[in-house]
Amino acid sequence: MKRICFLVDSIFTFGGVQRVTAVIAKELSRSYNVTIVTMDDPSEMNLQMYDLATVNLSFRFFKWPFYKGYKALLCKSYSALYRKVLPKTDFTSHLYGYSSFTADKRKALIDELNSGHYDVIIGVHAPLAARLATIKHHLGNAKTIGWVHNSFEALFSKQSTYIGEELKHHYFYQFKRLDRVVVLCNFDANRYRNYDKNINPCVIYNPLTLSPGALSKGTSKKFLAVGRFSHLHKGFDILINAFSIFAKNDKEWTLDIVGEGPEEAMFRELISKYSLENRITIHPFTSDIQSHYSEAQIYVLSSRWEGFGLVLVEAMAHGLPVVSSDLPTSHEIMGDFGMYFKNGDAEALAMKLHEATTIDWKEKSEKAIEISRCFDVENITAQWVSIIES
């Protein structure tokens, strides 16, 4: 039986990436010996999260060694030089890989991964995929796969809060060293290919990761949005501004936002600014997110970017029509079904919120359920098996 390893920053916290990783790992564990190597603290282990106790998975907890002194100074100096001054070539990127991933850290991760004698190692998220590439030649015959969850734009644009344009060449240099790179949509795959013809990513959509609750009845007059409050990623500031415009001419509909993160205080201030405390409610993350979908009438995705947009599939599985920013991934998932507005435009979103209150809800709901079935976990897992066995 092949041994599969998922290398992750975290598995025992709430988040879309964690949930998708858990679902795929659980499905693969039916045919493979699967281990998740996580940087969570062992005290955070919670097998009830994502139903991790229901299958035979192994977990290992890994910590980066701490380094300081002259080594840290040298590494930081070269890293700064690479980012700001040096030409972006394969050679300078190779050196940057070592300056940003020092010998003691490399050795610790190599020892951890080799101790598992894995046949396939999957680095989840771009930074861990790049680090996996840096040590690939020390991992024997293990197949290395990078699973990139953020969109190309989110990772490599000038405005990126994740990686940024100055490190784009470095990441492409590292990705080329992996056996496979998995991205979440065809639009991003084409952007990778256009930037470097030597990279040919495999596209695997994320599956529906939860068992849907009761279908929405479409009578609650509630908008719903779900996501983490960080990096202005989910555009909840845009959504609150748009709802304030919408609410000037509507006195019935409300908005539920489910999420947590460092931007929560800012969102609460916006809600207070518009005196919408009785119309907009922020709820914490919950293991019963299905209840929020079941009680809503319209789902709203106001994200500035998305690697995939798993919440769209979850919402549609509960029969919810969707208003979405006009992201390529949203179009790829929903086609003409979605009600789209110009990304970042609160006025345009307010108009779409109004439009959503006038639709033939039953017809839209039936179409939503039909689309969601395309993301069945068994079909997606089969695609993972295909690249593991290839």
Side-chain angles (χ1 to χ4, degrees), residues 109-154:
L109 186 57
I110 290 166
D111 290 346
E112 170 62 40
L113 295 178
N114 281 336
S115 71
H117 305 288
Y118 303 114
D119 298 291
V120 178
I121 303 171
I122 301 167
V124 180
H125 264 330
L128 283 181
R131 290 192 163 185
L132 183 60
T134 304
I135 61 172
K136 173 180 165 56
H137 58 293
H138 293 291
L139 300 176
N141 294 320
K143 177 182 287 188
T144 54
I145 300 173
W147 190 5
V148 183
H149 283 265
N150 276 113
S151 70
F152 186 97
E153 184 72 14

Side-chain angles (χ1 to χ4, degrees), residues 222-224 253 296-300 320-321 323 339 356 359 361:
K222 285 186 177 182
F223 296 110
L224 173 67
W253 282 70
Q297 187 167 339
I298 301 290
Y299 189 82
V300 185
L320 294 181
V323 172
M339 294 173 276
I359 61 173
W361 189 90

Side-chain angles (χ1 to χ4, degrees), residues 312 316 322 324 329-338 340 371:
L312 297 178
M316 289 187 292
V322 175
S324 173
T329 51
S330 294
H331 282 280
E332 197 166 317
I333 292 169
M334 299 189 296
D336 293 337
F337 167 79
Y340 301 104
I371 295 172

Side-chain angles (χ1 to χ4, degrees), residues 74-86 88 96 99 166:
L74 287 174
C75 290
K76 288 181 179 179
S77 297
Y78 180 80
S79 294
L81 196 64
Y82 176 82
R83 286 169 174 264
K84 303 299 182 184
V85 179
L86 293 176
K88 305 302 184 282
Y96 177 77
S99 71
E166 62 190 9

Side-chain angles (χ1 to χ4, degrees), residues 296-351:
Q297 187 167 339
I298 301 290
Y299 189 82
V300 185
L301 184 90
S302 52
S303 299
R304 289 177 166 88
W305 66 86
E306 283 290 346
F308 179 71
L310 180 62
V311 288
L312 297 178
V313 181
E314 295 175 356
M316 289 187 292
H318 289 82
L320 294 181
V322 175
V323 172
S324 173
S325 45
D326 58 352
L327 301 173
T329 51
S330 294
H331 282 280
E332 197 166 317
I333 292 169
M334 299 189 296
D336 293 337
F337 167 79
M339 294 173 276
Y340 301 104
F341 69 94
K342 183 179 178 182
N343 191 356
D345 188 333
E347 293 273 359
L349 174 51
M351 292 177 62

